Amino acid sequence: MDKLILGATYLANSLIYGSLIYIFVFLFKKIMKRESEKTKSAVEYIFVIYFITIAQVTGIANFFSWNFAKSQSINWIPFVNESPKLILLNVLLFLPMGMLIPLLFQKKKWNALKIGGIGGGVSILIESIQLLFVGRTADIDDVIANTVGCVLGFAFYAFLKRQWNKKHAGQRIGAGSLTGAGAIVTLLFCVPLNGICLGDVLLMQYGILPWSGNTEAIYAAEGFHYTLLIGIVLNVFFMLLSKVRSHDYGSRVGFYSSIAVIMILILFLVIGL
């Protein structure tokens, strides 16, 4: 559960800082009159959040505290006394990169070799920063696992693209396609998991009261549950977005998912009162 809370914290930080960064990117594109498709803008936003998440997980996000590490060590021998779980996590960490890069630059011709080169290069850069400025050990296992993850992500992207071209040639992926995922994410954050509500944890981290019964530094699950109210508002937005972008692939699923989540959250809200 501690790791789940830590992961939720990383995601919250990424969403907040990523949104701020992308606002500047969006305004810059407007000033420079560089228009892009709404679908590509959504992918760009997701990539910014993903990049910030990687920076947090690898420990390089807090670059203001970087200093030249005196104790430097490098593991050049692959897969010696390495945890299979850690290798798998490093593979999964770079899996989205293999899908996001070809989505961002669709006009380029991509193959597994090019994607693997980019993934390996980014991994080497991260390991170098960790070695020189963060004080961590640079590990060849991480580079190999990250590269494999990036290639697997690209293979998954290529497979989905082929299936998409066969079955959904007349439909498009847009903002409406993301509403179903948004509904599920808000449900996971708003409904207690093993007695802990991740949404409450995130709100408290930024000094926002999750319950009306909270006073200053005292946490009490009493009164009106603000987290559930925020979740309901978000899903109303997802529901309306799915109707506005009804021609997007998956928007109908997003519409009904949002309604279902709203009903569930209202039920929890009533039970809590």
Side-chain angles (χ1 to χ4, degrees):
M1 182 56 66
D2 290 340
K3 292 182 178 179
L4 186 61
I5 293 175
L6 181 61
T9 302
Y10 284 157
L11 180 59
N13 290 333
S14 299
L15 287 171
I16 292 173
Y17 298 128
S19 298
L20 292 175
I21 291 173
Y22 192 72
I23 287 174
F24 286 106
V25 173
F26 179 79
L27 292 175
F28 175 78
K29 290 169 65 176
K30 285 292 184 181
I31 294 173
M32 300 301 293
K33 297 182 179 180
R34 295 181 179 177
E35 297 292 336
S36 61
E37 297 179 2
K38 293 181 179 180
T39 303
K40 186 176 181 180
S41 296
V43 175
E44 289 172 347
Y45 176 62
I46 293 172
F47 186 81
V48 170
I49 293 174
Y50 169 67
F51 182 80
I52 295 175
T53 303
I54 284 185
Q56 291 184 91
V57 172
T58 56
I60 66 174
N62 192 13
F63 52 84
F64 290 109
S65 63
W66 285 5
N67 54 68
F68 188 73
K70 295 181 179 179
S71 57
Q72 302 170 348
S73 59
I74 304 176
N75 174 32
W76 293 104
I77 305 175
F79 309 121
V80 176
N81 299 323
E82 186 64 79
S83 168
K85 182 179 179 180
L86 187 59
I87 293 175
L88 178 61
L89 289 174
N90 275 294
V91 170
L92 295 176
L93 183 63
F94 270 57
L95 203 66
M97 185 177 294
M99 294 183 283
L100 289 172
I101 291 175
L103 280 172
L104 275 175
F105 306 99
Q106 296 186 25
K107 293 183 179 180
K108 294 183 178 294
K109 293 183 179 181
W110 295 102
N111 55 45
L113 185 61
K114 291 180 180 179
I115 293 294
I118 293 176
V122 172
S123 181
I124 291 173
L125 177 61
I126 291 174
E127 293 296 315
S128 300
I129 294 174
Q130 289 178 328
L131 175 69
L132 298 174
F133 303 107
V134 183
R136 292 191 181 184
T137 299
D139 199 332
I140 189 65
D141 295 342
D142 294 349
V143 176
I144 296 174
N146 293 158
T147 304
V148 170
C150 205
V151 172
L152 289 177
F154 173 72
F156 186 59
Y157 159 80
F159 171 77
L160 291 180
K161 185 178 180 180
R162 283 196 298 270
Q163 297 303 312
W164 176 268
N165 291 335
K166 289 180 182 178
K167 298 181 179 180
H168 307 286
Q171 291 181 303
R172 63 183 181 183
I173 297 178
S177 307
L178 304 176
T179 54
I184 295 173
V185 170
T186 52
L187 181 65
L188 293 175
F189 273 78
C190 293
V191 174
L193 302 172
N194 293 334
I196 296 178
C197 182
L198 296 178
D200 291 355
V201 175
L202 300 182
L203 292 180
M204 287 189 295
Q205 180 183 0
Y206 295 101
I208 304 173
L209 300 180
W211 289 82
S212 61
N214 296 173
T215 56
E216 297 180 358
I218 299 175
Y219 171 74
E222 300 174 354
F224 190 83
H225 199 175
Y226 296 137
T227 303
L228 294 181
L229 179 61
I230 294 173
I232 292 172
V233 171
L234 286 173
N235 277 277
V236 169
F237 169 76
F238 293 143
M239 183 181 66
L240 295 175
L241 180 61
S242 65
K243 291 298 291 183
V244 172
R245 301 299 298 270
S246 58
H247 296 293
D248 290 348
Y249 176 72
S251 60
R252 181 177 296 183
V253 174
F255 177 76
Y256 290 111
S257 298
S258 301
I259 292 178
V261 172
I262 288 172
M263 294 176 65
I264 293 172
L265 296 183
I266 289 176
L267 178 63
F268 272 93
L269 198 61
V270 171
I271 293 174
L273 293 174

